């Protein structure tokens, strides 16, 4: 009897432990969700599925960052793309967050083949991810001053720099603005050699 009782308790514990893991991969019911998503320089392993929030990405060029490409949302939500880093600031994946009135949904994309950490003096940007924003001119290796055009009434946004070298680091920048406010936003890229820096 004691063994049978212990078995039931163990079984309940296993079910209870497994349920949150399953729930974490299922989008909130009746909430906006990603219908489809594509990346530049990366492919979703096994393809994107609407019923999952955890994926792996295979980089086409493991020395370069993945960049959020085309996406489709079912519902109304703001999209924020940020990068994952390990303790040594080595880029390990991308996180896409849908923000909406009643909450948020986080999609995690871990790199399956990121390049092993290598020292470089490459402190360049290759792009900037910013929802509802347009960068002019396009990011290049010569210019260090750019203009970001956003809707006049947009007061909250997150700027996510994309480093040309996957081992370089540039922190994302969440901003709160007053309507119509113009500000200067410095973005400093630190190369993997830790000494070479480039401010845009």
């Amino acid at each position: 009897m004691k063994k049978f009782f212990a078995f039931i308790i163990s079984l309940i514990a296993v079910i209870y432990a497994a349920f949150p893991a399953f729930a974490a991969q299922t989008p909130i019911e009746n909430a906006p969700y990603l219908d489809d998503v594509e990346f530049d320089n990366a492919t979703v392993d096994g393809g994107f599925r609407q019923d999952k929030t955890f994926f792996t990405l295979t980089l086409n060029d493991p020395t370069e960052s993945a960049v959020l490409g085309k996406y489709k949302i079912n519902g109304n939500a703001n999209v924020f793309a940020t990068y994952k880093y390990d303790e040594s600031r080595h880029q390990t994946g991308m996180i896409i967050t849908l923000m909406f009135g009643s909450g948020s949904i986080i999609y995690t994309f871990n790199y399956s083949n990121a390049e092993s950490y290598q020292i470089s003096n490459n402190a360049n940007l290759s792009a900037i991810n910013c929802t509802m924003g347009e960068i002019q001119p396009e990011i290049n290796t010569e210019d260090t001053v750019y203009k970001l055009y956003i809707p006049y009434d947009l007061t909250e946004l997150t700027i996510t720099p994309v480093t040309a070298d996957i081992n370089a680091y540039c922190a994302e920048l969440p901003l709160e603005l007053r309507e119509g406010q113009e500000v200067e936003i410095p973005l400093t890229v630190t190369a993997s050699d830790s000494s070479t820096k480039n401010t845009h």
Side-chain angles (χ1 to χ4, degrees):
M1 182 66 179
K2 288 183 178 179
K3 289 183 178 179
F4 180 71
F5 183 68
F7 173 75
I8 291 176
I9 291 176
S10 299
L11 183 61
I12 290 173
V14 169
I15 292 173
Y16 180 78
F19 179 75
F22 173 79
Q25 295 189 13
T26 305
I28 301 170
E29 190 174 349
N30 299 324
Y33 61 88
L34 269 180
D35 198 41
D36 196 14
V37 64
E38 296 178 7
F39 297 89
D40 296 333
N41 190 45
T43 304
V44 181
D45 296 341
F48 181 79
R49 288 176 47 183
Q50 299 168 0
D51 61 338
K52 293 180 60 181
T53 56
F54 293 93
F55 302 88
T56 56
L57 283 180
T58 296
L59 298 167
N60 300 334
D61 183 348
T63 68
E64 297 182 3
S65 303
V67 181
L68 178 63
K70 296 178 182 178
Y71 59 85
K72 182 180 178 182
I73 303 173
N74 189 310
N76 186 21
N78 292 322
V79 180
F80 299 94
T82 56
Y83 290 99
K84 290 181 63 182
Y85 294 91
D86 60 19
E87 62 281 355
S88 62
R89 291 185 172 180
H90 182 211
Q91 194 179 121
T92 60
M94 179 178 281
I95 295 173
I96 297 177
T97 304
L98 300 189
M99 299 287 293
F100 45 92
S102 59
S104 62
I105 296 177
I106 297 174
Y107 296 84
T108 302
F109 299 84
N110 293 316
Y111 297 154
S112 62
N113 64 332
E115 184 185 51
S116 57
Y117 198 80
Q118 295 186 13
I119 302 299
S120 167
N121 63 356
N122 187 340
N124 294 322
L125 287 177
S126 64
I128 289 179
N129 287 331
C130 181
T131 305
M132 296 183 288
E134 180 182 346
I135 300 287
Q136 291 187 2
E138 290 187 5
I139 301 295
N140 58 76
T141 56
E142 296 180 1
D143 293 315
T144 57
V145 178
Y146 301 89
K147 286 191 175 182
L148 172 64
Y149 294 92
I150 61 174
Y152 183 83
D153 58 352
L154 184 64
T155 58
E156 291 186 14
L157 71 156
T158 298
I159 296 175
T160 303
V162 182
T163 57
D165 177 10
I166 198 170
N167 292 313
Y169 178 77
C170 188
E172 69 184 47
L173 185 62
L175 291 174
E176 291 187 10
L177 305 171
R178 296 187 305 274
E179 188 172 310
Q181 181 183 7
E182 293 186 9
V183 295
E184 186 173 303
I185 306 167
L187 298 173
T188 300
V189 181
T190 302
S192 56
D193 63 8
S194 299
S195 59
T196 306
K197 296 184 179 183
N198 195 359
T199 299
H200 300 266

